[in-house]
Amino acid sequence: MSRIPAGMYIPGKSFLHRLDPLAKLIGLIILLAAVIAASSPGGYLLLILFIGVLLALSGLPFKLAIAPLRRTYLFFAVIFLMNALFFADVDPLWTWWIFSLSRTGLIQGANVVLRLAIIIVAGHILISTTSPMEITAAFRRLLKPLQYINIPVDIVALIVSVAIHFIPVLAEEVEMIRKAQTVRGARFDSTRLRDRAASLLPLVIPVFVNAFKRADELALAMEARGYRGEGRRVSGPEIAFQARDFGAVLIMAAICAVQILVL
Amino acid sequence: MPIVLEKASYTYAPGTPYEAAALCDIDLQIADGEFIGIMGHTGSGKSTLLQLIAGLITPSRGKVMIDGCDINARNYNRDVLRKKLSMIFQYPEYQLFETTVEKELAFSLKHSGLPGKEVKERVRRALEAVGFSYTRVRSLSPLGLSGGEKRKVAIACALVTEPKILLLDEPVAGLDPRGRKEFLEIITRRNKAGTTIIMVSHDADVLGNYAQRILVLNQGKLLLDGPAKRVFTDIEKLEALKLGVCRPRKLARRLKECGIPFPQDIAGYDEFIAAVVEVSKKGGMSHEPDTGRHVYSR
Ligand SMILES: Nc1ncnc2c1ncn2[C@@H]1O[C@H](COP(=O)(O)OP(=O)(O)OP(=O)(O)O)[C@@H](O)[C@H]1O
Ligand SMILES: [Mg+2]
């Protein structure tokens, strides 16, 4: 039960840790495009293999990297079943009451689940190998060109940075409230769906209430310190793109192109 | 023994860069009806120890037994544990979620199998125990109450199951002196009625005055364990570890330094006063009238 909160940076010296955060961010965006375009079994296989390579390059323990999937398997199961059982198709394999199991539905369900899973693991690898500071700096660099069309890049970067900083805080709070409600008799670990559904509200409501309170406090604190939303606020180490980083982005793009165009 | 820990250890996030050995080989036995205080520095493992006893985490090594059953055994029914043990976390008001105070308390009794009438009766008793009028607050929204009232509702949530064991993690943090006193009185009353209390606090004064037995944790190890008086007797050792010492004990030392034959096994104010009475009867306080100023100069 001793979990590391989701979205926690895990310091290290692996290839992925040393890669320019901007390269990782662009890589993730390219990967997203590839995932959205994926449709054939071969395409998925390539993407999964690719994620495996990323994992090996990140030096993260396998268990840790897939932790977000293990926590959300129920969510995946529901999505899969919804797609499989409710897809209106002309010749269902099996029907009963309002349910109709169809081939198209099954494929659709598998598609959605695989895509989500790949995106979640890829995002998790990025967050685990990149410190929040680096991610913020990378966002700023990525969005920089948008400054010229009057998009408030600094504010967007600030929002992203605050959001990222709050992930571990929220995760810790969820854990604390989960424990408090467990003592009061909520059954989070029960195998019965009914128990788990009943323990959802006692978890979600306090977490939301506290998150809003925190946001209020943060806004007050920022105003009290004179924040007015202009100028450079968030900074991080300036890193220049190196050959390695270009290489990484290019390889990523190539693999994804193969995936999109060939498979 | 009702609560027994056998060589219990706990490590957070093993096998990752965040690995932290929080508790190491804790051997501990707690009898029914004890009032135990736990002190130690930040990160010494106090919260981890409470969570082990509450069955919220499973020891990496060793055993936690309650009433003779290993609570982490596969065939152990956790509902039994939930019925006899409650825990109040730091800032317990964060756990409130229901639409009315009555429902909030009843949530803790959801799996108790008690009939509706008994549930109602228990809710009323718990609310009255924390100083609320049942009819006034039962249908208010807990999230709309003031901070102090929320805290009281949360405490009532822990009391409503009428637990045999009550664990408290820094329960008085953030309370004003009056709220603090009220809270400690509620807990003491429970203890007198037979509930085992295990309370973590940074405040040595609170522990010295209320706990009968004190555990001192240091870097995940059980450093001292004994009656409050005895633990505080070794004041030099506590101070060397930069741990707090309750005020009555410090006063007793000052008195001794002033040449008054004052007993040193003092933890609470009541004991202190009793000792003052005792010593003055023997005439020990009167031989040097102006040491009073001296005593308070610290
Ligand atoms: N969720 C966690 N993940 C990793 N390490 C943790 C976690 N919780 C606690 N620790 C570590 O375990 C050790 C003991 O923590 P614990 O919370 O039990 O201390 P504590 O005595 O309650 O401290 P405090 O007085 O600050 O509440 C600390 O070194 C802490 O850093
Ligand atoms: Mg603690």
Side-chain angles (χ1 to χ4, degrees), chain B residues 107-179:
Chain B
F107 175 76
S108 304
L109 292 172
K110 202 167 137 195
H111 299 294
S112 63
L114 293 172
K117 227 175 116 194
E118 172 69 13
V119 168
K120 228 181 171 123
E121 180 54 27
R122 287 223 187 168
V123 168
R124 190 184 60 74
R125 275 209 295 265
L127 284 174
E128 280 168 4
V130 298
F132 276 130
S133 141
Y134 171 69
T135 42
R136 192 179 72 81
V137 297
R138 55 175 289 200
S139 48
L140 297 179
S141 156
L143 293 170
L145 298 174
S146 80
E149 289 169 329
K150 272 190 207 165
R151 176 78 65 103
K152 281 190 188 172
V153 171
I155 293 165
C157 286
L159 299 180
V160 77
T161 55
E162 309 195 343
K164 219 183 96 186
I165 303 168
L166 188 55
L167 311 180
L168 311 161
D169 197 349
E170 309 267 5
V172 290
L175 283 181
D176 59 10
R178 198 177 130 215

Side-chain angles (χ1 to χ4, degrees), chain A residues 68-120:
Chain A
L69 294 186
R70 296 203 309 182
R71 270 173 227 165
T72 46
Y73 72 95
L74 205 65
F75 166 73
F76 283 109
V78 170
I79 290 190
F80 180 75
L81 287 179
M82 295 275 269
N83 277 286
L85 292 176
F86 292 107
F87 201 88
D89 200 9
V90 275
D91 56 335
L93 301 170
W94 173 81
T95 48
W96 178 71
W97 193 32
I98 53 169
F99 304 111
S100 79
L101 189 71
S102 69
R103 231 181 94 83
T104 345
L106 282 173
I107 293 173
Q108 173 80 7
N111 258 324
V112 174
V113 166
L114 270 171
R115 280 179 188 168
L116 271 176
I118 292 172
I119 292 174
I120 288 176

Side-chain angles (χ1 to χ4, degrees), chain B residues 175-296:
Chain B
L175 283 181
D176 59 10
R178 198 177 130 215
R180 203 175 252 251
K181 190 149 182 289
E182 272 177 19
F183 174 80
L184 289 164
E185 272 162 13
I186 294 168
I187 297 304
T188 309
R189 234 175 285 135
R190 282 282 151 165
N191 180 242
K192 294 246 162 73
T195 305
T196 308
I197 308 283
I198 308 180
M199 177 164 80
V200 167
S201 180
H202 273 298
D203 191 333
D205 239 14
V206 166
L207 293 184
N209 272 299
Y210 291 90
Q212 297 146 2
R213 175 177 163 197
I214 289 186
L215 312 178
V216 179
L217 282 178
N218 195 41
Q219 300 186 343
K221 296 218 170 63
L222 195 52
L223 189 73
L224 294 173
D225 173 3
K229 288 194 220 180
R230 212 174 66 216
V231 166
F232 282 119
T233 308
D234 201 355
I235 190 166
E236 274 77 29
K237 188 167 183 180
L238 294 175
E239 282 179 345
L241 286 163
K242 299 208 163 52
L243 285 163
V245 174
C246 55
R247 238 163 286 161
R249 174 66 184 96
K250 282 192 193 161
L251 287 175
R253 177 173 61 179
R254 289 299 290 155
L255 285 166
K256 191 178 160 205
E257 283 167 6
C258 294
I260 295 167
F262 204 84
Q264 299 298 297
D265 55 343
I266 300 281
Y269 285 106
D270 290 346
E271 285 161 18
F272 181 78
I273 297 297
V276 168
V277 171
E278 191 67 18
V279 171
S280 16
K281 265 190 203 150
K282 288 185 201 150
M285 295 292 256
S286 53
H287 73 293
E288 209 178 315
D290 69 13
T291 43
R293 192 180 49 81
H294 205 79
V295 170
Y296 285 105

Side-chain angles (χ1 to χ4, degrees), chain B residues 46-48 90 169-170 200:
Chain B
K46 305 180 296 292
S47 303
T48 310
Q90 192 171 2
D169 197 349
E170 309 267 5
V200 167

Side-chain angles (χ1 to χ4, degrees), chain A residues 1 9 179 181 184 187, chain B residues 18 51 56 79 95 104:
Chain A
M1 278 225 269
Y9 171 54
K179 283 177 175 166
Q181 308 295 31
R184 290 174 67 194
R187 294 170 167 171
Chain B
Y18 288 100
Q51 292 181 21
L56 290 170
D79 292 348
Q95 72 191 20
E104 188 72 57

